[in-house]
Amino acid sequence: MKILLFGKNGQVGWELQRSLSPLGELIALDRSGADGLTGDLNDLADLARTVHAVQPQVIVNAAAYTAVDRAEADVEVAHRINAEAPGVLARAAAQHDALLVHYSTDYVFDGGGTRPWRENDATAPLSVYGRTKREGELAIQAAGCRHLIFRTSWVHAARGGNFARAMLRLAAEREVLKVINDQIGAPTGADLLADVTAHAVHQVMRQDVSAEALGIHHLTAAGETNWFDYACFVLGHAQDKGWALKTSPQQVQSIPSSAYPTRARRPHNSRLDCARLQRTFGLTLPPWQVGVARMLDEIF
């Protein structure tokens, strides 16, 4: 099996290099590309040529425009990378009868209510980022290729920038932190996303699952939390490990989203119902605390 991976140096892409490599020949690209192949999702024509040159059986797209606030002003580039590029990959996948794996987000929903979102719930993005990611999903579906789309949330890893690392940095500099308490989701490790991806790809390519296994799946760690409690967990774990911080968990103050305005609106309810994924691929998703603690231990 030949696997073509885009976005190899991102949080998820880095872990995918590890998890996918036992499945076959892995060609992993970043934006700069390699050996005459481009991995730049901003270059649509060369992107298609790369797929045609490699002729993979599996394409995994872990690249995306993820600067949520900047996307509000950088609409054209965000749309090209998040919406148009997945469509290009999907059409190329259809021509080569390849499986396309793509990652999407809780931001495709409006964040209303308290029930975890299911795959067939109506979407209503609040931001340019959410809208372009939803358009990417639709472009893949319209291309008619075999595909797996994993919607996830609150991704973290020991590598790269994320909320937990930001809290550690700020807690080392400040006496008090103020963190939002009314947005609910599940911190999800890039390693978990990569391992589930490899498991699902293996089952699909071996035809161990039916055609109904394809399509959109929600994929997060189990459980839920808010940003305030997440921050307290991170700082508490760091404190237990002897990390030098100026802010203790007791010095973190909870605030509503209205007290911390951002250019792009965030969904308040980012809960995702992962029952379909677990049932389809025979998986049990671990609690979010397990993944966060493991990541922090790796950082320390």
Side-chain angles (χ1 to χ4, degrees):
M1 180 160 48
K2 187 182 289 186
I3 305 168
L4 177 59
L5 169 64
F6 293 95
K8 72 173 188 178
N9 287 325
Q11 291 186 114
V12 178
W14 183 257
E15 293 290 346
L16 283 165
Q17 291 185 75
R18 170 190 56 78
S19 68
L20 293 174
S21 58
L23 300 183
E25 179 187 356
L26 179 64
I27 299 95
L29 302 174
D30 60 11
R31 189 178 303 168
S32 60
D35 300 325
L37 303 174
T38 185
D40 186 359
L41 268 66
N42 206 19
D43 189 339
L44 302 181
D46 278 349
L47 197 63
R49 281 194 284 271
T50 291
V51 176
H52 297 319
V54 174
Q55 298 189 17
Q57 284 76 51
V58 180
I59 303 168
V60 182
N61 179 31
Y65 189 109
T66 57
V68 176
D69 288 321
R70 191 165 70 231
E72 294 296 308
D74 200 12
V75 178
E76 183 178 343
V77 176
H79 185 267
R80 187 178 304 119
I81 293 173
N82 288 347
E84 294 181 64
V88 169
L89 293 177
R91 290 188 290 275
Q95 291 178 19
H96 293 280
D97 192 28
L99 171 69
L100 174 62
V101 180
H102 180 72
Y103 300 90
S104 193
T105 172
D106 58 291
Y107 277 63
V108 301
F109 298 110
D110 66 8
T114 58
R115 176 179 64 79
W117 296 99
R118 302 187 184 104
E119 288 84 354
N120 59 357
D121 284 334
T123 56
L126 302 175
S127 63
V128 169
Y129 170 69
R131 186 172 71 248
T132 57
K133 291 297 287 184
R134 177 56 179 157
E135 289 169 348
E137 294 180 358
L138 294 172
I140 291 170
Q141 292 172 330
C145 68
R146 293 182 298 141
H147 63 270
L148 290 168
I149 299 173
F150 295 119
R151 288 179 183 150
T152 190
S153 71
W154 298 22
V155 177
H156 63 77
R159 174 190 177 90
N162 56 65
F163 176 81
R165 293 178 66 91
M167 290 299 101
L168 290 172
R169 175 178 54 81
L170 292 173
E173 301 169 354
R174 303 179 185 180
E175 301 286 346
V176 175
L177 296 181
K178 296 180 179 181
V179 183
I180 291 168
N181 63 2
D182 57 0
Q183 296 175 18
I184 311 296
T188 302
D191 54 349
L192 176 62
L193 292 172
D195 290 343
V196 170
T197 297
H199 179 80
V201 166
H202 182 65
Q203 288 201 25
V204 169
M205 297 305 287
R206 283 175 53 91
Q207 299 183 343
D208 291 339
V209 289
S210 67
E212 284 71 31
L214 299 174
I216 296 176
H217 292 272
H218 289 173
L219 168 51
T220 66
E224 63 183 55
T225 189
N226 59 57
W227 294 116
F228 167 75
D229 288 334
Y230 183 10
C232 291
F233 180 88
V234 168
L235 299 188
H237 193 87
Q239 193 175 58
D240 292 342
K241 294 291 182 177
W243 192 268
L245 301 175
K246 292 183 178 180
T247 309
S248 70
Q250 293 74 29
Q251 293 167 297
V252 181
Q253 299 177 4
S254 65
I255 60 172
S257 299
S258 58
Y260 187 74
T262 55
R263 181 176 294 180
R265 290 177 61 194
R266 268 70 171 170
H268 283 260
N269 175 21
S270 291
R271 303 171 179 90
L272 297 178
D273 186 331
C274 302
R276 177 173 186 255
L277 174 91
Q278 295 183 98
R279 181 176 62 251
T280 300
F281 295 107
L283 294 169
T284 298
L285 297 170
W288 67 265
Q289 295 93 332
V290 172
V292 172
R294 182 178 181 277
M295 172 196 62
L296 295 174
D297 288 343
E298 187 174 348
I299 292 173
F300 300 149

